[in-house]
Amino acid sequence: MPTATDPLRFLHISDTHINPDRTYNKDYARYTPMLGVEAMVREINALPFTPDFILHTGDVAFDPSPDVYLAVKEVLADLGAPIHYLVGNHDDSPAFQRDLIGRADEAISDYYYYELEAKGVQIVCLDSNGPHDPEKPTGNIPDEQLDWLRGICESDDPRPLVIATHHSVLPVYVPWLDVWMRTENGEALHAVIKQASHRLCGVFHGHIHQNIQVMRDNVTYISVGSTWCQFKSYPDPSNERIVNDMHTLPSFNMVTITDTTTSVIRHSFTVEDN
């Protein structure tokens, strides 16, 4: 069990959108994905501590090209902590499982979800890429996975619990984010999660390229910025699609969990775009 003197401390990163082509970029981003992730690696390695692990909540790659996950492993190889990955909507799940996670072909599944333990904390990683509106980058937790999570949340397990998913779950009252990006069965997912609110340390996610916290029923949902480009999150009803933010810095979160407290600190960093 983590304590104030021996806490569980992990870094939350997301939406690296790595492409092995160092010149690859989009017109809404100030620098390439590779420059962003390399800057993040330098920033993490300069920290005065080593985290227990790094949680990557998906979109590891951007519309993967062949061998992209080999490039991911290479650029993140210098990080001195184990990395636990989630599949994002831009990831290729079979290639992700084979090349990044190291699964044999016969072990590759339709959805990659799992649990682990670190310092007495139960960590549950979901795959929110179930069937959804093909015209939108929304998410969905398939019924079988939701039933698996229900068994965890309804159990009498005394351990602190961390849940991770890629897509945002509850409304943040930013119209385009809620309509265009969210988990379609987010209310059903929340109904399951809140049953474990007494031991839940937080639900961590990515996808929305912004730092936002939402609290309901004693459950806190925590997102993190991208290492590549950020999205605006103003409640402007005239915006129906992604609104890019050219000014907010990339970031990762440091999460510290003790037997009484969850602390989340955002660490922003700069990227040399030349």
Side-chain angles (χ1 to χ4, degrees), residues 203-217:
V203 181
F204 298 87
H205 67 90
H207 189 53
I208 59 176
H209 291 225
Q210 190 57 264
N211 293 277
I212 296 177
Q213 294 188 23
V214 177
M215 292 173 282
R216 188 201 289 181
D217 300 322

Side-chain angles (χ1 to χ4, degrees), residues 122-245:
Q122 183 182 25
I123 300 156
V124 173
C125 296
L126 303 176
D127 187 336
S128 56
N129 295 286
H132 62 278
D133 185 340
E135 300 300 318
K136 299 176 182 178
T138 50
N140 181 277
I141 303 292
D143 289 343
E144 179 179 333
Q145 190 178 159
L146 204 60
D147 290 341
W148 173 77
L149 180 64
R150 184 177 293 107
I152 291 172
C153 291
E154 290 181 349
S155 73
D156 58 359
D157 195 319
R159 293 175 293 173
L161 174 65
V162 165
I163 296 175
T165 186
H166 178 63
H167 294 81
S168 54
V169 178
L170 293 182
V172 298
Y173 302 99
V174 176
W176 78 266
L177 278 176
D178 294 339
V179 173
W180 186 248
M181 303 281 280
R182 195 163 70 92
T183 303
E184 291 179 357
N185 60 342
E187 293 294 340
L189 176 57
H190 174 73
V192 170
I193 289 173
K194 72 178 183 180
Q195 296 178 82
S197 63
H198 61 287
R199 66 185 184 100
L200 186 64
C201 301
V203 181
F204 298 87
H205 67 90
H207 189 53
I208 59 176
H209 291 225
Q210 190 57 264
N211 293 277
I212 296 177
Q213 294 188 23
V214 177
M215 292 173 282
R216 188 201 289 181
D217 300 322
N218 294 316
V219 176
T220 303
Y221 295 86
I222 303 152
S223 69
V224 66
S226 169
T227 60
W228 178 34
C229 61
Q230 315 311 314
F231 299 155
K232 288 186 177 178
S233 53
Y234 300 125
D236 183 351
S238 67
N239 294 325
E240 297 181 355
R241 301 289 175 89
I242 290 172
V243 186
N244 297 295
D245 182 347

